Amino acid sequence: MRTSSGASVLCGLMLAAAVTVTYADGAGIALKGNDRGAPACIACHGAQGEGNAASGFPRLAGLDAGYLQTQMEAFASGKRKNAMMAPIALALDATERKQLADYYSGLGRSISVVKPAVRQADVAAPDSGEPGAHLALKGRWGDGLPACVQCHGSSGAGVGSVFPALAGQSALYIENQLRAWQQGTRAPGPLGLMKVISDKLSADDVRDVAAYFAALPPSRASKGVMP
Ligand code: HEC
Ligand code: HEC
């Protein structure tokens, strides 16, 4: 009796230790990678998940966890094609992808705490009349183009798990994504919305609208429904 309960306690401890070793937490993988070949995320996405604007490595901090997880799955399945992220996503298991998504999503919270001034999820930016601002805030209905903010939130802060934040993403990254949809290397995504929209954008539109969102401060995604 005594021996068997002692053995089961020991067994439980060993199991707990094994689980801890197999599934490092999101912060640990972000910092050091895992033992199956996933590199440290911070090498490209920055120490605080802020991204690297010059290289087109996206901001991950504060993006919705469900969105981040879906994108890692899309890289792993090849639906979203990217030579850097495909092998990395494949080196993560489902639990690790979720832990990393939760970790990066949570980093946004500290941004809001540190800089309350950038919490403006529901405040619309004024239309400066620049072509990028006009497209983002008003769309171009003659071409069947809705305003970007109708789905991405009034200040580009994102809405729920489906519509990611654009505010604070670098211009290069935003341009790369719009071109990826035009060229078919990024899967059309929910309802094929971004493929339809990207196909209607000229090269100038892509540059202008990317510059507009890149200049907005990052802020927490709103959890509400579409504005
Ligand atoms: C060698 C550089 C590099 C490393 C290391 C790296 N990434 Fe990435 N990541 C990229 C690039 C480049 C993209 C954008 C790909 C594209 O343009 O489609 C990206 C995109 C992403 C996206 C999609 C973001 C969005 O807004 O759609 C997620 C999520 C992501 N990475 C997670 C991770 C995680 C988690 C790690 C660590 C396990 C990691 N990355 C490590 C280069 C890297
Ligand atoms: C009708 C809704 C809708 C409108 C309008 C819309 N988007 Fe999107 N957008 C989406 C959805 C849905 C996604 C997520 C796609 C996915 O999961 O692959 C997305 C994703 C994106 C991304 C990828 C962000 C990332 O982190 O990788 C960019 C960039 C983007 N949209 C830019 C724009 C721009 C610029 C406009 C305006 C010209 C616009 N969107 C208008 C629905 C919309």
Side-chain angles (χ1 to χ4, degrees):
M1 198 51 187
R2 188 174 268 265
T3 323
S4 91
S5 81
S8 72
V9 167
L10 189 64
C11 236
L13 284 175
M14 283 165 66
L15 195 67
V19 168
T20 317
V21 171
T22 316
Y23 301 120
D25 59 335
I29 302 173
L31 199 64
K32 301 192 199 112
N34 68 12
D35 55 6
R36 295 186 316 284
C41 317
I42 59 166
C44 295
H45 291 285
Q48 295 299 318
E50 71 276 19
N52 179 322
S55 309
F57 302 150
R59 157 179 290 278
L60 304 179
L63 269 74
D64 178 87
Y67 173 77
L68 291 174
Q69 200 178 339
T70 306
Q71 297 313 306
M72 284 186 257
E73 282 157 12
F75 286 126
S77 71
K79 275 203 245 168
R80 180 171 172 184
K81 293 183 183 43
N82 183 266
M84 276 183 239
M85 275 308 297
I88 296 173
L90 281 167
L92 300 169
D93 63 30
T95 308
E96 291 169 328
R97 283 181 212 138
K98 178 164 189 331
Q99 287 172 328
L100 283 158
D102 288 343
Y103 169 70
Y104 278 112
S105 174
L107 282 184
R109 262 169 243 143
S110 50
I111 291 177
S112 319
V113 170
V114 175
K115 295 187 196 161
V118 303
R119 288 194 71 185
Q120 46 177 241
D122 298 304
V123 181
D127 181 355
S128 62
E130 303 277 318
H134 197 78
L135 192 54
L137 301 171
K138 303 273 161 62
R140 198 164 58 223
W141 286 100
D143 294 341
L145 264 176
C148 314
V149 298
Q150 280 196 285
C151 293
H152 289 281
S154 52
S155 61
V159 181
S161 295
V162 175
F163 306 106
L166 301 180
Q169 253 344 335
S170 69
L172 178 58
Y173 176 71
I174 294 175
E175 288 179 22
N176 285 345
Q177 300 317 300
L178 298 173
R179 284 194 283 263
W181 276 304
Q182 290 175 339
Q183 292 157 10
T185 53
R186 181 162 174 177
L191 303 177
L193 295 171
M194 279 312 298
K195 170 74 180 152
V196 173
I197 288 168
S198 300
D199 281 348
K200 291 180 177 172
L201 299 176
S202 69
D204 281 352
D205 291 337
V206 167
R207 217 188 30 242
D208 293 343
V209 82
Y212 172 78
F213 282 111
L216 295 182
S219 48
R220 279 297 289 170
S222 116
K223 296 286 171 205
V225 287
M226 277 172 59

